[in-house]
Amino acid sequence: MSEMFEKVERAYKTFDESYSHIEAGKRIQKAAEEKKAGLKKKFIIGLAAICFLISFFFASLVSKIQFIQSKVMASSMLVLGVIAFVVYKKVIEPQYLKNAYVNEMQDALEEVKRGFEIMDEKSSDLYVIPEDYRYRTAMDYIYKVMKDNRAETLNDALAMFDDQLHRWRMEDMQRKFVEHEAEIAKNVKHIRANTAASAAANVASIGFDVFTSLF
C-alpha cells in the first residue's frame, strides 16, 4: 500500500465521517419540513370545515328562504374566511407550526455543525485532495480507483474522474436529447391524429349538408 493511498484513505474517511453528519442533518431537515407541511394542510382543512359548518348553521337560523339563505351563507363564509386567515397567520403559524418542528430543525443544525467541526479538526487529512474534488461523487470515485489499483497516483485518479465526469455529462445530454426527440414525435403524432379527425369531421359535415339539401 503506497504512502499516497494512505493519505487518500485518511482524507476519504475524514470526509465520509463529516459528510455523514451533514447528510443526516439534511434528512432531519427534510423530515421536519414534511411534518410542517402536513400539519399546515390539516390546519387549513380544519379551518375551512369549521368556517363552512358555522356559515351553514348561521344561514339556517337566519332564513328558511333558499335564495336569502345562500346569500347569507356566502357572506358569512367570506367573513369567516378572512378571520380564519388572520388567525392562521397571526396565531397558528408563528406559534404552533413553528414550535412543532423547532426541535427537529435544531437537531439538523447540530448535525451539520458537527460535520463542519470534523472537517476543521482534521483539515490536515483533507489537504491531499484538491478542494474542487471534495464532494461525495468525486471522493467515492477517487478512493475506489486507487483502492482497486486502477490508478497508481492521485493525479491519475483525478484525471480518470474528470474523464468519467465528462462521459456522465455527455450521457445525460444524450438522454435529454432523446427524451426531447421522443416528446416531439409524440406531439407530431397527436397533431396528425387531431388533423385526421378534424378532416373526417369536415367531410362528414359536408356530406350531411349535401344530403339534407337533396330533401
Side-chain angles (χ1 to χ4, degrees):
M1 186 177 292
S2 68
E3 182 180 350
M4 178 54 68
F5 176 73
E6 291 178 356
K7 291 180 179 180
V8 170
E9 187 173 42
R10 283 198 300 272
Y12 177 76
K13 289 181 178 179
T14 297
F15 173 84
D16 188 60
E17 182 183 2
S18 62
Y19 203 75
S20 63
H21 284 282
I22 295 173
E23 287 179 325
K26 290 180 179 179
R27 287 194 298 270
I28 295 171
Q29 180 183 6
K30 183 179 179 181
E33 289 173 351
E34 290 175 350
K35 178 182 177 181
K36 179 184 177 182
L39 289 173
K40 183 177 180 179
K41 184 178 180 180
K42 289 179 181 178
F43 272 117
I44 291 174
I45 293 174
L47 287 173
I50 291 172
C51 288
F52 176 80
L53 291 174
I54 293 175
S55 299
F56 182 78
F57 179 73
F58 181 69
S60 300
L61 291 178
V62 170
S63 176
K64 297 295 183 180
I65 303 174
Q66 188 174 3
F67 174 75
I68 299 177
Q69 194 178 68
S70 62
K71 289 285 187 181
V72 172
M73 185 172 180
S75 300
S76 57
M77 277 286 288
L78 179 62
V79 173
L80 288 171
V82 173
I83 295 173
F85 178 79
V86 173
V87 170
Y88 176 81
K89 283 294 182 181
K90 297 294 185 181
V91 180
I92 295 176
E93 191 172 56
Q95 294 184 18
Y96 294 98
L97 289 181
K98 185 178 180 180
N99 294 331
Y101 76 117
V102 65
N103 291 333
E104 288 90 338
M105 293 301 292
Q106 185 64 35
D107 292 341
L109 182 62
E110 289 297 326
E111 287 287 350
V112 173
K113 182 180 177 182
R114 180 53 187 156
F116 285 111
E117 286 176 350
I118 292 172
M119 283 189 180
D120 291 337
E121 292 168 2
K122 302 180 180 180
S123 59
S124 59
D125 293 340
L126 292 170
Y127 283 145
V128 67
I129 305 295
E131 191 171 356
D132 290 343
Y133 294 88
R134 293 177 196 169
Y135 57 97
R136 173 61 73 186
T137 303
M139 293 293 289
D140 286 346
Y141 187 92
I142 293 166
Y143 175 70
K144 189 174 188 307
V145 295
M146 293 197 71
K147 183 180 179 181
D148 295 343
N149 294 319
R150 291 165 54 197
E152 294 182 1
T153 66
L154 177 59
N155 287 335
D156 290 341
L158 296 177
M160 288 176 66
F161 176 74
D162 288 338
D163 291 341
Q164 181 62 53
L165 186 61
H166 177 71
R167 284 194 293 271
W168 284 335
R169 286 172 177 167
M170 294 301 294
E171 289 171 359
D172 186 57
M173 289 175 62
Q174 185 177 11
R175 177 185 59 79
K176 290 179 179 179
F177 177 77
V178 171
E179 290 176 353
H180 179 65
E181 291 289 302
E183 185 66 23
I184 291 175
K186 182 180 178 181
N187 291 336
V188 169
K189 183 180 178 181
H190 181 69
I191 292 171
R192 284 178 176 174
N194 288 341
T195 302
S198 178
N202 289 336
V203 170
S205 177
I206 293 171
F208 179 77
D209 291 341
V210 171
F211 178 78
T212 52
S213 66
L214 296 175
F215 295 92

